C-alpha cells in the first residue's frame, strides 16, 4: 500500500505547482554620514516591510500582488522638523510568455502524467492483491484435495477388490 500513497503524493506535488505563495519581507537600513550642513540630516533609519503573493497561472504566466510600507526616520533639526515619513506602495504585475512554455496544455501535462501514473500504480496494486488472493485460494483447494484423497482411496478400495475378484 506504499506505492499508491507515493503516487498520490507525487500527484499532489504536481498540483501544488499552481498554488499561490506568500512572501513576506523586512529590510532595515541605518545610515550615518558626516556633514557640516545643518539643513541635511546626518542620521537616518529606513524600515521597509510588507509582503507579496505570487500566483502561478495554468497558462504559464505569473500574477503578483505586492504591498509594502516604508518608514524613514531621521534625527530632527530646525530645518526638518518632521523626523518620520511613511510611504505605501502597491505593485500589481502579470507576466505571460508568448512562445516558450505558454499554454494550458503544456503547463498541465505533468499533472496529467502524474494522474496516469497514480492510476497505473493503483491498478498494479489491485492486480497484485488479486493474484495473491487467487494463489491462496488455489493453495486452499490443493490442501482440501490432499486431505480428501485418502478418504476417496478408502472408498474405492472395496470396489477395486470386487473388480479384481470378478476377473
Amino acid at each position: 500500500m506504499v506505492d499508491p500513497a507515493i503516487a498520490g503524493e507525487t500527484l499532489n506535488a504536481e498540483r501544488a505547482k499552481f498554488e499561490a505563495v506568500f512572501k513576506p519581507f523586512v529590510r532595515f537600513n541605518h545610515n550615518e554620514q558626516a556633514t557640516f550642513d545643518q539643513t541635511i540630516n546626518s542620521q537616518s533609519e529606513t524600515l521597509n516591510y510588507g509582503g507579496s503573493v505570487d500566483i502561478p497561472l495554468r497558462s504559464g504566466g505569473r500574477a503578483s500582488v505586492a504591498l509594502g510600507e516604508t518608514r524613514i526616520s531621521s534625527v530632527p533639526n530646525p530645518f526638518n522638523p518632521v523626523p518620520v515619513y511613511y510611504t505605501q506602495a502597491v505593485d500589481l504585475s502579470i507576466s505571460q510568455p508568448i512562445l516558450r512554455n505558454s499554454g494550458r496544455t503544456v503547463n498541465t501535462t505533468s499533472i496529467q502524467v502524474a494522474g496516469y501514473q497514480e492510476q497505473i500504480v493503483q491498478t498494479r496494486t489491485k492486480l497484485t492483491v488479486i493474484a495473491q488472493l487467487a494463489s491462496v485460494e488455489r493453495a486452499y483447494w490443493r490442501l482440501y484435495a490432499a486431505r480428501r484423497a485418502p478418504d476417496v482411496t478408502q472408498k474405492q478400495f472395496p470396489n477395486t477388490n470386487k473388480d479384481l475378484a470378478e476377473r
Side-chain angles (χ1 to χ4, degrees):
M1 298 310 292
V2 173
D3 289 341
I6 291 172
E9 288 304 314
T10 303
L11 179 60
N12 288 339
E14 288 298 325
R15 286 181 181 153
K17 291 192 316 188
F18 296 107
E19 290 182 0
V21 177
F22 176 67
K23 299 176 185 177
F25 63 88
V26 175
R27 292 182 203 96
F28 178 77
N29 183 20
H30 179 77
N31 189 12
E32 288 189 32
Q33 47 185 329
T35 180
F36 293 112
D37 188 359
Q38 292 295 320
T39 61
I40 299 174
N41 293 328
S42 61
Q43 294 180 357
S44 67
E45 291 181 345
T46 304
L47 177 64
N48 187 0
Y49 53 91
S52 66
V53 176
D54 189 26
I55 306 164
L57 304 174
R58 290 186 184 262
S59 62
R62 289 190 137 359
S64 180
V65 178
L67 302 170
E69 182 169 285
T70 303
R71 178 184 182 270
I72 302 172
S73 61
S74 58
V75 175
N77 66 32
F79 300 102
N80 188 5
V82 180
V84 178
Y85 299 98
Y86 288 95
T87 60
Q88 292 85 22
V90 176
D91 294 325
L92 302 171
S93 67
I94 295 177
S95 65
Q96 176 64 49
I98 296 174
L99 297 175
R100 179 181 288 171
N101 293 332
S102 67
R104 187 176 179 96
T105 305
V106 172
N107 290 294
T108 59
T109 300
S110 61
I111 296 172
Q112 290 176 344
V113 169
Y116 295 146
Q117 290 295 330
E118 182 186 32
Q119 290 175 0
I120 289 169
V121 168
Q122 287 178 351
T123 304
R124 283 185 183 158
T125 303
K126 287 177 185 178
L127 179 64
T128 302
V129 169
I130 290 169
Q132 288 296 323
L133 289 173
S135 174
V136 168
E137 188 173 0
R138 282 191 301 273
Y140 169 78
W141 287 113
R142 284 185 197 133
L143 176 64
Y144 179 80
R147 285 190 173 179
R148 295 287 298 172
D151 294 339
V152 171
T153 305
Q154 282 182 348
K155 288 182 181 178
Q156 288 178 346
F157 183 71
N159 294 335
T160 305
N161 283 339
K162 284 183 190 178
D163 287 343
L164 287 175
E166 291 178 2
R167 289 188 185 175

